[in-house]
Amino acid sequence: MYDGDVEPARITIRESRNYKRNLFTALHEVGHHIFWNDEAWQFQVLPELGDKARLIEEKIVNDFAASILVPEDAVALHLGEGVSPEGIQALIQGTQASATTCCIRALNQPGQRLVILASEDGKIWYADSNGTPYNPGRRVAQPALISAIERARESGKYRLMGGEGIRYSKGWADTDVCLDVLLHDGLVIAVATSTRPSLRGSASTGWHEVCEACGAEFAASASSGQCTTCGDWKCSDCRGCQCTASKAVYCRRCFLVLPTTEASKGMTVHEECD
């Protein structure tokens, strides 16, 4: 946590057992310190960004920390020919950066992709995208990812073309994808790229959704319809969607957005990060 209101400014870190995570956290907060003391950023740029200001600053300081922990020569060596799970794995093994940090670095490479870190049972811990395929978030189950993981158990890696694609909470799936999966020390590193970015297939709305507003689980088929503003299926219990959810709260450990159900309880750290 960064506190610029004291003299001198103070950075407080809740130490993790993961040494690499501690390094990232410290550098992330240094990034906030730099912005805090940048008058142009504080008084000219931030007011223009409006509600997106915090999200943008978080992304920039994440990139700042990642760029220090993963040097350019390592990026050129392992990702210079293209981003792959094997390249991300090599960065994890050859630098002082955590798996999440290496994924952030991979997203800054040319081209569009979705990068996912998950457990071997398919639970997503981290997901982010710099274009297509879009980021589905961590709460939507991904059958294609689970299928690819199962097929990767024999050789340690697998490439899945198409299939059920990447599912989204708005009730559709991008089926024009290539999903590369690699098993690494209990983690799953996945990189998804679009095969035909301009075309997408609609998926059945028969699976269950989790309401961003109240946290209730409901069948998409039971929804009264999609919100015309955010596109989410309206909750069958509270009729809520992302529009009724509170403003984003960022985890103080991993700096990713907390689900509304956790933020509404006053939590500031993901359950799995605590």
Side-chain angles (χ1 to χ4, degrees):
M1 181 176 65
Y2 175 72
D3 185 357
D5 290 325
V6 298
E7 184 62 39
R10 180 183 299 124
I11 292 175
T12 305
I13 298 174
R14 183 178 179 181
E15 190 172 5
S16 166
R17 288 175 294 180
N18 187 329
Y19 171 70
K20 291 184 175 183
R21 165 59 63 182
N22 293 334
L23 291 177
F24 177 83
T25 301
L27 288 169
H28 174 98
E29 298 301 339
V30 169
H32 283 303
H33 174 68
I34 293 172
F35 274 132
W36 181 272
N37 291 281
D38 188 325
E39 292 187 358
W41 176 261
Q42 292 293 332
F43 301 111
Q44 298 176 30
V45 179
L46 279 183
E48 295 296 323
L49 296 178
D51 292 340
K52 296 182 179 179
R54 187 177 181 185
L55 179 64
I56 292 173
E57 181 168 323
E58 288 294 323
K59 175 173 173 51
I60 294 174
V61 296
N62 278 347
D63 291 345
F64 166 77
S67 67
I68 294 176
L69 292 171
V70 186
E72 286 295 338
D73 57 348
V75 173
L77 177 63
H78 300 300
L79 302 179
E81 298 299 320
V83 174
S84 66
E86 291 84 356
I88 295 174
Q89 179 190 45
L91 290 180
I92 297 170
Q93 295 173 330
T95 69
Q96 292 296 308
S98 66
T100 301
T101 305
C102 293
C103 288
I104 292 171
R105 203 71 164 96
L107 284 170
N108 289 332
Q109 290 300 101
Q112 298 184 26
R113 65 193 61 87
L114 164 67
V115 178
I116 294 173
L117 287 179
S119 61
E120 290 193 2
D121 61 0
K123 180 180 180 181
I124 297 176
W125 294 345
Y126 167 88
D128 204 357
S129 167
N130 61 358
T132 54
Y134 299 116
N135 182 7
R138 301 186 306 148
R139 299 180 67 86
V140 180
Q142 299 295 336
L145 175 64
I146 295 172
S147 176
I149 292 171
E150 289 302 316
R151 298 181 186 185
R153 295 193 187 281
E154 183 175 345
S155 65
K157 61 181 180 179
Y158 189 78
R159 168 171 285 185
L160 180 66
M161 301 293 293
E164 295 192 55
I166 303 298
R167 284 188 169 187
Y168 296 89
S169 63
K170 297 179 181 179
W172 60 277
D174 185 346
T175 56
D176 296 308
V177 297
C178 171
L179 181 63
D180 288 303
V181 165
L182 176 73
L183 306 186
H184 168 74
D185 288 344
L187 275 177
V188 175
I189 305 170
V191 176
T193 52
S194 288
T195 53
R196 289 186 295 169
S198 62
L199 298 177
R200 294 187 178 85
S202 296
S204 167
T205 59
W207 70 80
H208 282 69
E209 302 285 340
V210 176
C211 176
E212 291 289 338
C214 72
E217 183 176 325
F218 65 97
S221 58
S223 171
S224 61
Q226 289 177 274
C227 172
T228 57
T229 300
C230 69
D232 271 9
W233 294 98
K234 296 179 181 178
C235 176
S236 57
D237 287 350
C238 73
R239 299 184 181 275
C241 60
Q242 284 190 12
C243 296
T244 55
S246 60
K247 290 186 177 180
V249 176
Y250 292 85
C251 174
R252 294 170 62 181
R253 297 290 296 281
C254 70
F255 308 108
L256 301 178
V257 177
L258 268 74
T260 303
T261 51
E262 294 181 7
S264 64
K265 298 175 184 177
M267 297 174 62
T268 57
V269 177
H270 284 118
E271 291 180 350
E272 57 265 37
C273 292
D274 198 0

